[in-house]
Amino acid sequence: YLGTAHPDDVSVLAGATVSVDIGDAIDTNSAADTITVNGGSISAPARGIDGGGGPDTITINDGSVSGSAGIVGNTGDDSITINGGSVTATSTAIDGISGDDTITINGGIISGAGRAVRGGGDNDTVILAGDSNITGLIQADGTALEGTADILRFAMTVPADDLAALQADLLAAVPAGGSIDINGYTYSWENFETIEDNLT
C-alpha cells in the first residue's frame, strides 16, 4: 500500500495478509496518517510499516509486522503504540527516526537485531507500560546527542513485594545506559537523559 500526500487512514484486520517482494509493505507517504493493525500479517524485505512524513499515529493491537525494519515513524512527531502482537526486524524493530516521538509498549513481542526500539533524533519518550518481551536494546538515539531530552518511562504494574526494590534500582539507574529485570523480563537501554519511575 502506498498512501497519498493527504491524510490516510489504513486498517489491517484479523486474517489479512499484506506482503511484498520489494520495498515496504505499507507506506503512507506524507501528511498526518493513521495506521491500525488489529491482526493479520504484514511483511516486507524493507519496512513492514513506514509512516512517511508528517505526525503519524501507528497502533498495533494484534498480528505480526516484520521486515528489515518493522515499524518506522519516519519524519514528524509520531505516536507509535504496541498493545499486542509482534514486531520483528533484522535491524531495528521500532524506529521513530526523527521528530518528537512517543513510543508506548503495553504488551507483545518486540525483537530487533541489536536494537529493538529507537526513538531517533529530537526529544523522544519511550513508555514501557505493560509486560513485553523486548529482545534488543531500547535506544534514544544512535549516539548521545547534545541538546536532546529523551525519556525512558517505566510504568508497569509489579508485585507489591517488588515495588520498593525496583523503585530504588530505577532511582540509581544511569540514563546513558543500563538494564533492569521487571516481571521476568530484562530491559536494556542507552543514550537517554531521564529515567522515570511510574511503577505501580
Side-chain angles (χ1 to χ4, degrees), residues 33-131:
D33 304 306
T34 301
I35 302 169
T36 305
V37 179
N38 290 314
S41 170
I42 300 168
S43 62
R47 298 167 172 177
I49 295 174
D50 185 343
D56 303 307
T57 301
I58 301 170
T59 305
I60 311 298
N61 295 315
D62 200 359
S64 65
V65 180
S66 64
S68 63
I71 298 170
V72 175
N74 218 319
T75 59
D77 300 341
D78 302 309
S79 174
I80 301 171
T81 303
I82 312 298
N83 295 317
S86 67
V87 182
T88 58
T90 55
S91 60
T92 304
I94 301 170
D95 197 340
I97 299 286
S98 66
D100 296 342
D101 303 311
T102 300
I103 299 171
T104 305
I105 301 176
N106 293 310
I109 299 169
I110 314 297
S111 178
R115 282 192 304 217
V117 178
R118 177 179 177 264
D122 302 306
N123 304 310
D124 303 306
T125 301
V126 177
I127 304 167
L128 304 179
D131 295 338

